[in-house]
Amino acid sequence: MKDIKLVATDLDGTFLKNDRSISDKNLRALHSLGEKNIIRVVATGRNLRKVNEVLQQNVPFDYIVYSSGAGVFNWTEQQQLYDQNIHSESANRLTTYFLKKDLNFYAFWPVPENHMLWYHKGKDECEEFNRYLTFHNSFVHPFPTNGKAKEGLCQFLLIIPENEDNFAELKNEIESQCAEIRVIRSSSPVTKGYIWVEVFHKSVSKGQGVKQVCDLLKINPSATIGVGNDYNDLDLLDFTAHSFLTENAPPGIKNKFQMVPSNEDDAFAHVVQPLLI
């Protein structure tokens, strides 16, 4: 791993401990990377408001790839650099489909205001869906009665019980509705046993978000490291040249990349230690 210029890490389950705190080792590693002029990037599913809930502005990252790559933010200058939302025609086509199927779903406003969201409670009761609704009650509103969004949307979120066949069927159905979007799977960070089905513009991924940073700074992808722990990190790890999964990753993906200790055991610091010698 000579001549590394950029390190990108997921937050929850990777850089952060389970209680959302930052270990002393990980924080020291971040500072040391900065001293060596290595760019430090977060690549997270969190929106920007939720990033600020777990990162103080003095935590020395350089860029934030947030909402799974729908937005890129210069952390040091506090400046929005890039966004990619689902266009209104596709957003409304998907909304019509979800309402017709009477599914539980959330629809997030365009980046960078995507901490605001609408919801529709469908025919099937879902404890995890209701729990998510409670967590976001300050920013969530019932979907407009006319079933239309005037502007595009950042994403949709559906929450289903963990079942691989059901997920695969739903993914295929959603992606068949319009060519502009793709479905990303994520394990629920709230309750075990649920899958978060996230719908984004097809160009959105953590890997594409990190590529935006590389293009901006003229960094060759061969000089990058990525660290993640879940299905929604696979695009990031496919992009970075040197890629690592934490020990707490789901069993189904553990064979895809080199394994490192869990987020509780300073996975990030472990990965970057060879760069700091």
Side-chain angles (χ1 to χ4, degrees):
M1 298 196 299
K2 292 183 178 181
D3 301 321
I4 293 297
K5 303 298 183 186
L6 180 150
V7 176
T9 179
D10 174 46
L11 282 180
D12 297 277
T14 304
F15 182 78
L16 300 176
K17 295 171 70 70
N18 291 340
D19 63 1
R20 309 296 190 260
S21 65
I22 302 173
S23 73
D24 290 339
K25 285 186 178 181
N26 282 354
L27 189 57
R28 287 197 300 270
L30 266 188
H31 282 287
S32 297
L33 289 171
E35 291 167 2
K36 291 183 174 293
N37 296 316
I38 296 174
I39 299 298
R40 302 149 297 183
V41 181
V42 164
T44 180
R46 286 175 176 259
N47 62 51
L48 200 54
R49 179 176 288 268
K50 286 194 164 295
V51 169
N52 280 282
E53 291 177 1
V54 295
L55 295 183
Q56 300 295 321
Q57 288 189 13
N58 62 354
V59 176
F61 281 105
D62 299 297
Y63 295 89
I64 309 293
V65 173
Y66 66 94
S67 297
S68 296
V72 179
F73 190 75
N74 185 317
W75 187 245
T76 56
E77 298 181 5
Q78 293 291 293
Q79 179 183 5
Q80 177 74 17
L81 299 178
Y82 167 85
D83 62 74
Q84 178 63 71
N85 297 296
I86 300 171
H87 296 112
S88 57
E89 181 179 354
S90 297
N92 286 320
R93 186 180 305 161
L94 288 168
T95 298
T96 300
Y97 165 73
F98 294 144
L99 290 172
K100 183 177 180 181
K101 299 277 286 187
D102 201 15
L103 299 174
N104 295 303
F105 71 92
Y106 292 101
F108 294 75
W109 293 20
V111 167
E113 299 300 320
N114 58 317
H115 58 279
M116 303 292 294
L117 60 155
W118 290 306
Y119 75 93
H120 173 77
K121 293 192 71 170
K123 62 181 183 299
D124 296 326
E125 191 70 16
C126 178
E127 180 183 354
E128 171 81 341
F129 184 89
N130 296 336
R131 187 176 293 110
Y132 189 94
L133 183 63
T134 301
F135 289 163
H136 295 78
N137 57 8
S138 297
F139 304 105
V140 66
H141 306 280
F143 204 85
T145 53
N146 63 3
K148 297 289 185 181
K150 293 181 180 179
E151 301 179 7
L153 296 170
C154 171
Q155 72 175 102
F156 293 89
L157 169 64
L158 298 89
I159 301 174
I160 63 173
E162 192 167 22
N163 181 296
E164 299 302 326
D165 292 338
N166 289 349
F167 167 74
E169 181 179 354
L170 182 60
K171 179 181 189 299
N172 289 336
E173 283 188 17
I174 294 172
E175 291 183 338
S176 70
Q177 300 306 307
C178 59
E180 186 185 334
I181 57 93
R182 67 190 293 252
V183 171
I184 300 174
R185 172 192 172 156
S186 179
S187 301
S188 169
V190 180
T191 310
K192 289 184 178 181
Y194 289 93
I195 294 173
W196 285 14
V197 183
E198 300 181 276
V199 185
F200 288 96
H201 189 277
K202 64 182 179 181
S203 67
V204 167
S205 73
K206 292 184 179 183
Q208 282 297 313
V210 174
K211 183 179 184 298
Q212 292 285 335
V213 177
C214 287
D215 290 347
L216 175 67
L217 302 178
K218 295 181 171 52
I219 293 174
N220 193 302
S222 64
T224 61
I225 288 175
V227 196
N229 80 300
D230 203 0
Y231 290 92
N232 65 342
D233 295 316
L234 296 181
D235 289 317
L236 165 66
L237 303 182
D238 283 336
F239 173 77
T240 50
H242 306 275
S243 302
F244 303 86
L245 273 170
T246 61
E247 182 57 39
N248 50 296
I253 61 174
K254 281 190 172 182
N255 64 338
K256 293 184 177 294
F257 297 97
Q258 184 174 337
M259 301 301 301
V260 293
S262 77
N263 63 313
E264 287 289 286
D265 294 318
D266 309 305
F268 179 82
H270 179 92
V271 168
V272 303
Q273 184 59 37
L275 308 179
L276 308 179
I277 298 174

